[in-house]
Amino acid sequence: MKFRPESYRIPDEPMKPFIDPEEIWELLNRPTSSDREVEQVISRSLDKNRLTLAEVAILLNAETQHQSELIKEGARELKRKIYGNRVVLFAPLYVGNKCSNDCTYCGFRSSNRAQVRKTLTGEELVKEIEALEDNGQKRLILVYGEHAEYDPTYIAETVRTAYRVKKGNGEIRRVNINAAPLSIEGFRTVREAGIGTYQIFQETYHPEAYKQYHLRGKKADYENRLTALDRAQEAGLDDVGIGALFGLYDWRFEVMALVRHTNHLEACYNVGPHTISFPRIKDASMLHLGDRYFVSDPDFSRLVAILRLAVPYTGMILTAREPAALRNELLQFGVSQIDGGTRIELGSYTEKEQPHDLNKGQFLIHDDRSLNEIIEELLAQDMLPSFCTACYRLGRTGEHFMEFSVPGFIKRFCTPNAVLTLAEYLVDYAPEKTARKGWEVIEQNIHQLNKEVAGEVRKRIEKIKQGERDLYF
Ligand code: SAM
Ligand code: SF4
């Protein structure tokens, strides 16, 4: 993938801040867009170009109903064209909620005395991982507060545990991280434990707004956080995830800033983020934020569609913060990864009967479906649930590799791998009804592959039925 050089007022330099709020606002304050402009930008995106900030502003300044429909239709087509019907599944695992920061939107903030503080013991961590494996999970994201106890060595150790624990046919094949920004040395330590993606959300990219929400602790340093993923790249960790917490500042500004972050990483490291997340603020223990920047459902759908068009080759994650109906809808506009069977209270995969409790979790989730219920619903819509972890394990990451730059890659690798991982799930974990529909969907997908690949996939499915596991292309 070749990146177009673009120039912005703050030139891109590794490990230097790059957000100029005035420049972003000047673009956003341009007149409303014409139909022709909107159509031109959408067609550039459908040609798989990452959009410039000026182009994204045209989509954000598209105000008529007709233009909104054009944007959604464009996002739908791009999603179909690039990602097909695959949806990657994962689960979050909260390891510890001690925190020395004071982020006013978060239930874990240090000033919240109501929060029950806990770090999983080694034994509890193993049990949580076993419980996740028993459900069929293969991909985890480990989540931590920011606290001296959760240093890089500790994080690396928990990652190694997650890879080591195996129960029955269960195993975790990809461990991602959402934790505090580290030093270059720290990122190196966690990279050596074999992590997938390191995710850090900027929360709000607006420096003044950022100050108001981050009162104490290391996270109060906006620039340290903004440049964190540059340090990850310097440490050789080329698989990173960015995000903004929607509801803290103007959502249109955050969309522009996420794209600016993307092109900063491309300019400095020749590789954009692997994923973008766009959590919306949910109720949390002792939360009193006000709703000045609340993002409504229609605006949220619009922002997801615009992001899809803006960064055609970046994975987009939508979590169980959002209710099932909205998640199903947004899968059509570009979301490529969702979590399933999610529990966020510490230790709650093991203690299944534990009710949701704001004082034991970071915020309230709105999608309570089990992993199998989600898989059933995806299958009912002829989507292809995937637990694939092949690329990262074969070293197909970062600058050396971008799946969309390789013609025919999806049909040659992604669909077959999704099919094989779904087949494992159906054999090992699915109730009969899910399995029946699952095999039908597998058959439909195999039909669309070329003869040679289809033959190989069928052979491997037979091997899976006979007990072999972890077969991938
Ligand atoms: N402590 C690490 C940090 O701050 O980077 C880990 C992050 S936290 C456990 C994961 C993310 O949850 C945060 O980055 C934030 O975007 C999001 N979050 C925090 N409070 C939230 C809330 N009330 N509703 C929805 N998401 C929230
Ligand atoms: Fe701590 Fe992260 Fe919550 Fe901030 S968002 S209070 S750093 S856990």
Side-chain angles (χ1 to χ4, degrees), residues 216-239:
R216 266 180 293 276
K218 286 194 190 150
K219 194 163 164 182
D221 184 344
Y222 170 90
E223 289 191 359
N224 180 53
R225 196 163 178 93
L226 189 66
T227 54
L229 294 171
D230 286 42
R231 295 195 293 281
Q233 295 282 350
E234 299 282 338
L237 218 169
D238 58 10
D239 195 330

Side-chain angles (χ1 to χ4, degrees), residues 400-416:
H400 311 293
F401 175 76
M402 253 192 201
E403 61 191 88
F404 309 115
S405 60
V406 183
F409 188 88
I410 304 275
K411 289 227 151 140
R412 180 74 190 82
F413 297 97
C414 303
T415 305

Side-chain angles (χ1 to χ4, degrees), residues 16 41 89 158 218 244 253 323 385 444:
K16 293 273 163 59
V41 172
L89 294 166
T158 52
K218 286 194 190 150
F253 181 94
Q444 288 161 20

Side-chain angles (χ1 to χ4, degrees), residues 97-110 144-146 203 214 219 225 362:
N97 67 357
K98 293 188 184 171
C99 194
S100 46
N101 293 323
D102 208 357
C103 313
T104 48
Y105 44 82
C106 176
F108 292 168
R109 69 188 182 279
S110 54
Y144 314 73
E146 180 160 358
E203 319 299 9
H214 301 98
K219 194 163 164 182
R225 196 163 178 93
Q362 196 186 6

